[in-house]
Amino acid sequence: MKRYLVAVPVCLGLAFLAVPAKAAPINVMADACSGCHGTDGQSLGAMPGFNTGAPDAKSNAELKKLLRDYRSGAREATVMDRIAKGYSEAQLDAIVDYYKK
Amino acid sequence: MMKLSRRTFSGLVGAAGALSAFGLSGCANAPKVVVIGGGFGGATAAKYVRRYMPDANVVLIEAGKTHFTCPFSNTVIGGMNQMALLERNYDVLANKYGITVVNDLAVAIDPVTKTVKVKGGTVFGYDKLVVSPGVDFKWGALEGYDEAASAIMPHAWKAGPQTVLLRKQLEAMPNGGVVMISAPANPFRCPPGPYERASLIAHYLKNNKPKSKVIILDSKDAFAKDKLFKEGWEKMYDNYIEWVPAAKNGKVTKVDAKAGTLETDFEKFKPAVANVIPPQTAGAIALATGLADKSGFCPVNPNTFESTLHKDIFVIGDACMAGEMPKSGYSASSQAKVVAGAIAAMMMGDKPAAMSAINTCYSLLAPDYGISVSGVYSVQDGKIANIKGAGGVSPSGAAYQFRKKEADFAGGWYASICQDSWG
Ligand SMILES: Cc1cc2nc3c(=O)[nH]c(=O)nc-3n(C[C@H](O)[C@H](O)[C@H](O)COP(=O)(O)OP(=O)(O)OC[C@H]3O[C@@H](n4cnc5c(N)ncnc54)[C@H](O)[C@@H]3O)c2cc1C
């Protein structure tokens, strides 16, 4: 009984914390981008974010187009062109889908 | 049973607290992950293990109450920012992410019993252990430069009191004094770091002590982003920075901190301020555990960062050998995510996804003049390598506006990565 009392609050304690539900999506390739763009794309500073909630948030299609243009060189950039060239178009699309889930 | 007396209630909380503090979980089968080091690698690893495996029991062992980042510490040395900018704490990791943060020094890892012991005596069991202790210095490898010498001639290659000491020496130096930076041979933490530092010191001197200059005595003949640094120096610091490569006898071979002298094979100098960046190894705990090879750094499986010497221990950041990835905060945090993903997959009985990582190092030559080097990495022929066609350095000869933008993005990067690692 005593053991039971102790064990349950620990589980509850963990479940209580502000963490997402189980089986969180894992996307290491996409999360590498957040070193510049912030966790979940929520940039705090000068880096552009891909905030999902903001009224001026870009759509999936717009972000995908931007990334393809960085990759091809059609869009000028300071660094995004150098980064986007490391991925295929399909990979870039998948990254956008992960952030805008 | 529902009538919990106050005594029972506090007893219960106490017991639960003790259990989690011991790194044991009350929940059957919750994976136990211990992380050593709360810098860029370790903090990010702890956070992302919890993001990928919300039911994991994560213990983060960090020796300091807070962590002062090396990134942007050169701006403090150059007088552009204060120490407070660099200080990170563990409150969000503990409170929002449910990580058990242990403020103590890990003193022993037993890879057989899979336990970590801290100085305070507590022993933590683990299923998977992440080791991200950063670097330690090879005291004495440069003749005369030991820990006592660093109190006179700071290295400032770990941020904190050493950063403050170097800044104070620069402030106290008379106009006309010479600053010397001794830069080490490869590999070392932050390859462009010494040159960013020289730039920001020169920026300070130009505005405050115009008769002074910086001389870099180098153990190498080339360095990260050297073309871009030289372009900026020519524009801004023509009489303020002198770089002496190894081929021109730049390698410092002996130091006498008390006498205030630096020696190369042929000359002896007595600068007003000496900043000696010594040769480095993986952090002491990695060496003590036998995680390093004779290079002083830790060999790892390039796909997962699991040590090739001890199973279930993953080494990331400056301490590991990550192929073409340089030793940087960005690399460490990107590697941490690879490890978090690999551990989550392994614990769930899946195959880890293909390794994928990024590095970008911004360097400031002045508050409004930034440059960068970038890479996107995968495993190619069994080694971590930059993907062909991706990455590289900022363009040469770019207009002022471009350099200014990159300086702003450097600040944006720092805000983002600190949030991504500790926030
Ligand atoms: C001047 C300078 C400028 C830099 N600028 C940049 C930059 O602009 N961009 C960039 O990406 N990188 C930069 N770097 C490099 C960056 O600081 C490192 O690459 C990065 O900190 C490595 O992360 P890490 O997790 O390996 O180690 P660290 O961040 O050093 O973290 C190690 C942590 O482990 C703790 N620790 C060690 N041993 C133990 C133990 N036994 N028990 C408990 N805790 C322990 C330490 O207290 C420390 O908090 C710079 C470095 C310097 C010196």
Side-chain angles (χ1 to χ4, degrees):
Chain A
M1 193 62 198
K2 219 179 169 190
R3 282 185 78 82
Y4 175 76
L5 269 178
V6 170
V8 171
V10 175
C11 286
L12 286 178
L14 285 177
F16 218 69
L17 294 158
V19 288
K22 270 195 180 180
I26 298 175
N27 193 330
V28 168
M29 181 178 278
D31 279 333
C33 312
S34 59
C36 278
H37 290 288
T39 305
D40 296 327
Q42 311 276 339
S43 165
L44 299 175
M47 288 289 179
F50 355 100
N51 198 326
T52 20
D56 62 340
K58 294 193 173 85
S59 68
N60 279 26
E62 283 173 296
L63 292 176
K64 286 177 183 173
K65 167 93 169 57
L66 281 171
L67 286 171
R68 283 167 187 239
D69 288 349
Y70 286 133
R71 183 177 183 276
S72 70
R75 188 177 173 86
E76 272 189 26
T78 56
V79 72
M80 238 359 260
D81 48 349
R82 288 181 262 156
I83 305 271
K85 288 187 170 77
Y87 304 88
S88 67
E89 290 191 347
Q91 285 172 329
L92 291 172
D93 288 353
I95 291 173
V96 170
D97 290 336
Y98 172 76
Y99 276 98
K100 301 281 280 188
K101 61 190 170 266
Chain B
M1 151 117 201
M2 291 322 291
K3 257 174 57 195
L4 287 174
S5 72
R6 214 176 133 225
R7 212 183 109 248
T8 326
F9 182 71
S10 59
L12 202 144
V13 169
L19 270 182
S20 57
F22 274 74
L24 301 168
S25 173
C27 307
N29 299 328
K32 284 180 289 179
V33 178
V34 174
V35 179
I36 298 178
F40 283 94
T44 309
K47 170 169 163 174
Y48 275 80
V49 166
R50 285 284 287 172
R51 276 172 64 88
Y52 293 159
M53 267 196 302
D55 63 344
N57 193 334
V58 179
V59 174
L60 174 62
I61 303 172
E62 164 58 47
K65 276 218 151 44
T66 58
H67 176 91
F68 287 94
T69 68
C70 287
F72 272 68
S73 67
N74 285 332
T75 69
V76 173
I77 289 165
M80 296 149 51
N81 282 305
Q82 303 295 318
M83 284 301 284
L85 175 83
L86 311 177
E87 191 168 17
R88 305 272 88 78
N89 66 50
Y90 299 95
D91 295 351
V92 178
L93 293 181
N95 300 334
K96 180 171 171 207
Y97 288 94
I99 293 157
T100 303
V101 178
V102 177
N103 179 213
D104 204 343
L105 182 74
V107 289
I109 299 169
D110 186 336
V112 178
T113 58
K114 297 176 69 169
T115 53
V116 180
K117 191 177 170 182
V118 295
K119 207 171 166 199
T122 312
V123 175
F124 298 87
Y126 65 81
D127 295 317
K128 306 284 178 195
L129 172 67
V130 181
V131 178
S132 191
V135 293
D136 268 307
F137 302 113
K138 284 199 218 173
W139 298 123
L142 168 58
E143 192 185 336
Y145 198 70
D146 55 13
E147 198 163 2
S150 74
I152 302 169
M153 293 180 169
H155 52 74
W157 220 242
K158 288 189 184 185
Q162 281 275 310
T163 314
V164 175
L165 179 62
L166 181 53
R167 175 64 197 161
K168 285 203 168 130
Q169 291 184 351
L170 291 170
E171 280 171 359
M173 182 182 83
N175 186 6
V178 170
V179 181
M180 282 188 172
I181 298 176
S182 165
N186 295 323
F188 66 103
R189 151 179 285 184
C190 195
Y195 315 95
E196 178 188 64
R197 176 171 292 174
S199 308
L200 296 183
I201 291 176
H203 176 75
Y204 166 71
L205 298 178
K206 189 176 171 181
N207 292 309
N208 296 278
K209 291 170 184 172
K211 288 186 197 147
S212 290
K213 67 189 285 187
V214 191
I215 299 174
I216 307 164
L217 297 172
D218 213 325
S219 299
K220 305 178 287 303
D221 288 323
F223 59 89
K225 298 182 265 197
D226 49 7
K227 263 181 77 180
L228 289 171
F229 272 109
K230 288 174 190 169
E231 178 188 322
W233 291 347
E234 228 166 78
K235 274 201 188 113
M236 295 182 286
Y237 305 125
D238 216 10
N239 300 308
Y240 292 93
I241 298 181
E242 189 183 323
W243 175 66
V244 189
K248 294 212 169 124
N249 201 30
K251 184 178 160 62
V252 173
T253 52
K254 192 176 167 185
V255 165
D256 186 336
K258 281 197 185 114
T261 55
L262 300 176
E263 283 178 49
T264 63
D265 278 339
F266 298 98
E267 278 170 288
K268 193 173 191 167
F269 305 95
K270 198 169 181 328
V273 173
N275 170 211
V276 178
I277 304 164
Q280 297 149 33
T281 63
I285 186 76
L287 301 189
T289 312
L291 289 164
D293 66 14
K294 61 180 190 305
S295 72
F297 292 97
C298 304
V300 292
N301 175 324
N303 291 297
T304 61
F305 288 85
E306 184 169 18
S307 165
T308 56
L309 304 174
H310 288 300
K311 206 174 158 327
D312 295 323
I313 302 182
F314 300 74
V315 188
I316 53 172
D318 292 351
C320 79
M321 290 189 271
E324 292 182 3
M325 291 186 84
K327 296 189 187 305
S328 76
Y330 203 124
S331 291
S333 100
S334 194
Q335 292 160 5
K337 293 165 186 175
V338 173
V339 164
I343 288 178
M346 286 170 175
M347 297 303 297
M348 292 189 261
D350 293 339
K351 209 174 153 278
M355 184 275 184
S356 173
I358 299 181
N359 173 61
T360 299
C361 291
Y362 283 102
S363 297
L364 293 175
L365 281 72
D368 60 352
Y369 193 114
I371 58 174
S372 62
V373 59
S374 191
V376 182
Y377 303 89
S378 65
V379 175
Q380 299 163 37
D381 300 324
K383 291 194 180 98
I384 297 173
N386 183 41
I387 292 169
K388 250 190 141 170
V393 298
S394 313
S396 294
Y400 168 78
Q401 268 315 319
F402 193 97
R403 305 290 188 225
K404 166 82 170 71
K405 261 194 188 169
E406 285 216 279
D408 292 342
F409 285 137
W413 165 79
Y414 184 68
S416 286
I417 200 157
C418 286
Q419 180 273 335
D420 196 29
S421 301
W422 288 276

